[in-house]
Amino acid sequence: MLHAIPCHIITGFLGTGKTTTILQLLAQKPADERWAVLVNEFGEIGLDGQLIESAATRDESVFIREVPGGCMCCSSKLPMQVAINLLLMKAKPHRLLIEPTGLGHPAEIQRLLRSQAFSSVLSLDSTLTVVNPQHFTSQKHLDNSIFQQQLSVADYLIVNKTDVATPETLEAFKAFSALSTTPYVYTSQGNISLDLLHPQHSNTHSNPQTSLFIKPKRLEVFQEYREQEALPSCGFLEARRTEGDFTSIGWRIAGDRVFSTEVINTWLLTLPAVRVKAHIRTNEGWQAVNISQDEQGIHAVAEKTLLTSAPVSGESRIEFIFYSESFDNEALHSWTQFLTDNAAPSSTMT
């Protein structure tokens, strides 16, 4: 019987670095422990799990399960209950990490984990909220009810991306922290200590000088994907989702299609999206792309990494998330046309 498995929620708004933070925690996992990770995505494509796997080789000490398609606690908690039960049965883990979508409701997840359905199986030890100090200068974020909830449920705030933060944004966060009792730590690239998962580190005094950096190491992961619809003969499949103020557009692209690195990177950097994630086969190899924008549409972070191996799915995947008010069907048509025109079959590449 599984009993009182330590469980942690790693939440935060779009583009704060939740997935990167989880990678850093997994890199510190004791060798004799099995961990499980449940990843919830706003979009329908299923990309975050693939991005995690892309940084790893295969090992059966970490199990990952994806739940794409919006907040898994909205309208019905059944998808989350099923996903957790299947993951626990498969992994029999010593620890469970849950990454809600950046547009999800962590308070609902907390309530479910504390309910009778899981109270004896899981022990909700701590909730870490990853924040970008830049968001504290944005009234659109400060007024957002999901952002407010993510702050309110935190046992600890992970103030990420301090390496690219401006003095203005750091001062804005300090002004917030002066009115809050939630402890916090400054970091970049999600580099935090495994100690922050332990309950004794919750509800302690705030210390803006705390430095809990770790040295990253190679992560080994066993990736479990949900079954997805087979790609049509054209090699492209598009999926979109609109919920509240946000819309996601994503594509799955057959792995035999190859893009020019220069062309695809230039195009991705010009998109009017709040968030861009991609895992693409290029003429230089497989590449992971992770782009966030600030309130004015200026790219705050643009991470591009060449990978040593293809993803488990063998597909290229691209996803944009943007404010629904800026959705443009004509633009969507042009994006699809761009992908079609610029994907060359591998047999034609030299």
Side-chain angles (χ1 to χ4, degrees), residues 22-23 26 35-39 48-50 52-53 56 62-66 87 90-91 219-226:
I22 287 176
L23 282 170
L26 291 175
W35 284 21
V37 183
L38 181 64
V39 180
D48 279 346
Q50 180 163 290
I52 290 175
E53 189 276 336
V62 176
F63 295 77
I64 299 172
R65 190 172 187 89
E66 294 176 316
L87 190 54
K90 176 75 173 181
L219 170 67
E220 297 185 344
V221 175
F222 168 73
Q223 174 69 40
E224 181 180 16
Y225 284 101
R226 69 166 186 171

Side-chain angles (χ1 to χ4, degrees), residues 43-47 50 68 226-241 248-257 259 267 277 279 315-320 332 335-337 339-340 343:
E44 301 283 353
I45 292 296
L47 194 58
Q50 180 163 290
R226 69 166 186 171
E227 291 186 8
Q228 289 192 307
E229 180 183 352
L231 291 175
S233 58
C234 67
F236 284 77
L237 192 149
E238 175 200 308
R240 71 173 76 179
R241 177 182 184 80
S248 72
I249 302 292
W251 292 267
R252 292 169 52 206
I253 305 166
D256 63 349
R257 311 299 172 89
F259 294 88
W267 178 68
K277 285 190 177 183
H279 200 158
E315 300 174 356
S316 291
R317 296 185 182 183
I318 302 173
E319 185 170 81
F320 317 146
L332 174 59
W335 297 338
T336 303
Q337 193 64 49
L339 292 171
T340 303

Side-chain angles (χ1 to χ4, degrees), residues 260-270 287 289 291 304:
S260 160
T261 302
E262 181 179 358
V263 171
I264 197 72
N265 284 342
T266 299
W267 178 68
L268 290 174
L269 286 167
T270 64
Q287 179 179 256
V289 178
I291 301 171
K304 301 183 287 292

Side-chain angles (χ1 to χ4, degrees), residues 1-5 88-89 92-93 120-121:
M1 295 289 291
L2 301 177
H3 177 70
I5 298 169
L88 294 179
M89 290 171 59
K92 298 179 176 60
S120 63
V121 179

